[in-house]
Amino acid sequence: MQVTSTVKETRNFIRKWKQEGKTIGLVPTMGFLHEGHASLIRKCREENDIVVVSDFVNPTQFGPNEDLEAYPRDFARDSALCESLGTDLIFHPEPEEMYHDPHAYVSIDTLSETLCGKTRPIHFKGVCTVVSKLFHIVTPDRAYFGEKDAQQLAIIRKMTEDLNFDIQIVGCPIVREEDGLAKSSRNTYLSKEERKAALCLSRAVRAGQEAIFADCESEAVLGKMRAVIEAEPLARIDYISVVDALTMQPVEQVKDNVLVAMAVYIGKTRLIDNFSFTV
Ligand code: AMP
């Protein structure tokens, strides 16, 4: 497995592989890898000749009062996991390699303004910028993203189409802990008590999935989900919403293809979860 930290050396490997006619899959991550990331890497391994994982805590997607400094990092563990999954190259740059101030940004309106975008106004601009850069550096045939970050996935699909990247975007299902909590690098922030409380998110998902069969009014579904979360004293809802799965705009009725998404603070840790529903 190759480990690169510069754009130049990464491009050299990519050029060689492309000359050999190999297909390339990219899994963008911020590191501190867990089973969720591993599921993306495995799918990428199945579908491509070459697997590239990027491992980069992207500063431009963090707001001024967010957890950029505290974000967990363990590159030795990440590279061991990547190697065991058959990764060909990990791209692990320093921020200075990726950004030279002042620098260009890529952003997408409307889809970025609801859900997480309301609380994290610069987040998706940072995501679109870093993912565009990775797409230009790695020029993959396919790129893999988790449905755990459903708004991010919708935004990346739209950006890929709008900017004519010739890349297939592959969405992968949410991987959960045995008790239902969606796997996340941020779960490490939770105390024992908070870890228990965090189960209200996946319980709310299940309540929402059941409610949707009984009532197609969004408010009715959200009411059932809110009740589950509000019963948990350590939880505070940031948002919970039913949106059109393509536009990310709120809908009053569950029809066509919708995304039911939430962000909930458990103590100081903000966690997200969601489910999609197609009529
Ligand atoms: P991150 O390192 O948090 O930026 O995540 C990198 C990629 O892994 C993103 O496409 C995430 O959606 C995906 N991912 C993170 N957690 C999970 C999970 N529990 N299940 C599936 N995919 C995930």
Side-chain angles (χ1 to χ4, degrees):
M1 184 178 73
Q2 308 293 340
V3 180
T4 59
S5 59
T6 67
V7 173
K8 194 172 172 194
E9 36 174 359
T10 308
R11 284 207 163 123
N12 285 341
F13 283 114
I14 299 290
R15 195 173 300 118
K16 181 175 94 53
W17 286 322
K18 291 226 157 168
Q19 277 163 5
E20 292 166 2
K22 294 190 164 150
T23 56
I24 294 177
L26 170 67
V27 183
T29 82
M30 296 210 301
F32 211 70
L33 304 180
H34 50 65
E35 256 316 297
H37 301 108
S39 72
L40 272 56
I41 299 172
R42 282 195 198 98
K43 184 144 179 69
C44 182
R45 181 66 286 167
E46 280 166 28
E47 297 181 349
N48 302 276
D49 298 324
I50 297 292
V51 173
V52 176
V53 175
S54 62
D55 187 313
F56 176 58
V57 181
N58 173 39
T60 63
Q61 70 191 66
F62 288 79
N65 298 314
E66 292 183 355
D67 57 341
L68 173 61
E69 297 306 323
Y71 198 84
R73 293 157 166 92
D74 188 343
F75 186 65
R77 201 176 59 117
D78 290 350
S79 36
L81 178 66
C82 284
E83 181 136 43
S84 75
L85 294 170
T87 301
D88 296 283
L89 185 147
I90 307 189
F91 178 44
H92 180 53
E94 292 295 326
E96 299 74 40
E97 176 68 11
M98 293 296 272
Y99 295 108
H100 307 273
D101 274 331
H103 60 83
Y105 277 98
V106 177
S107 64
I108 182 163
D109 296 341
T110 322
L111 278 80
S112 294
E113 285 154 16
T114 56
L115 308 179
C116 287
K118 265 199 178 151
T119 319
R120 309 185 72 192
I122 64 156
H123 176 66
F124 290 114
K125 190 173 164 189
V127 169
C128 286
T129 302
V130 79
V131 171
S132 302
K133 287 169 73 69
L134 292 168
F135 282 1
H136 284 300
I137 295 163
V138 178
T139 60
D141 298 280
R142 298 180 192 83
Y144 296 78
F145 295 87
E147 289 169 2
K148 156 126 190 308
D149 299 271
Q151 187 177 16
Q152 167 175 283
L153 176 57
I155 286 173
I156 297 293
R157 284 193 196 286
K158 181 80 166 74
M159 180 193 81
T160 302
E161 193 186 318
D162 289 353
L163 299 185
N164 305 100
F165 284 110
D166 190 14
I167 297 170
Q168 186 192 335
I169 304 301
V170 183
C172 304
I174 301 177
V175 176
R176 296 176 180 279
E177 303 283 355
E178 246 171 55
D179 60 8
L181 179 66
K183 297 225 181 206
S184 165
S185 308
R186 289 191 168 97
N187 291 349
T188 52
Y189 297 152
L190 301 170
S191 68
K192 214 167 154 201
E193 213 189 354
E194 290 170 341
R195 171 67 183 74
K196 249 179 156 175
L199 287 179
C200 69
L201 281 94
S202 51
R203 276 205 301 269
V205 163
R206 282 198 299 277
Q209 285 167 331
E210 278 168 26
I212 241 168
F213 284 106
D215 198 327
C216 59
E217 293 290 327
S218 299
E219 244 337 290
V221 175
L222 293 174
K224 299 268 189 216
M225 296 175 73
R226 268 192 217 108
V228 172
I229 298 165
E230 284 165 1
E232 175 47 67
L234 293 180
R236 180 169 62 82
I237 296 174
D238 176 22
Y239 70 78
I240 176 160
S241 188
V242 182
V243 297
D244 177 281
L246 291 178
T247 65
M248 298 289 115
Q249 301 310 303
V251 290
E252 283 176 13
Q253 298 271 323
V254 176
K255 51 181 181 193
D256 305 327
N257 192 4
V258 298
L259 169 72
V260 183
M262 69 184 124
V264 175
Y265 287 97
I266 304 292
K268 287 191 174 144
T269 305
R270 185 175 172 281
L271 300 176
I272 56 174
D273 206 339
N274 71 79
F275 66 97
S276 293
F277 188 82
T278 308
V279 176

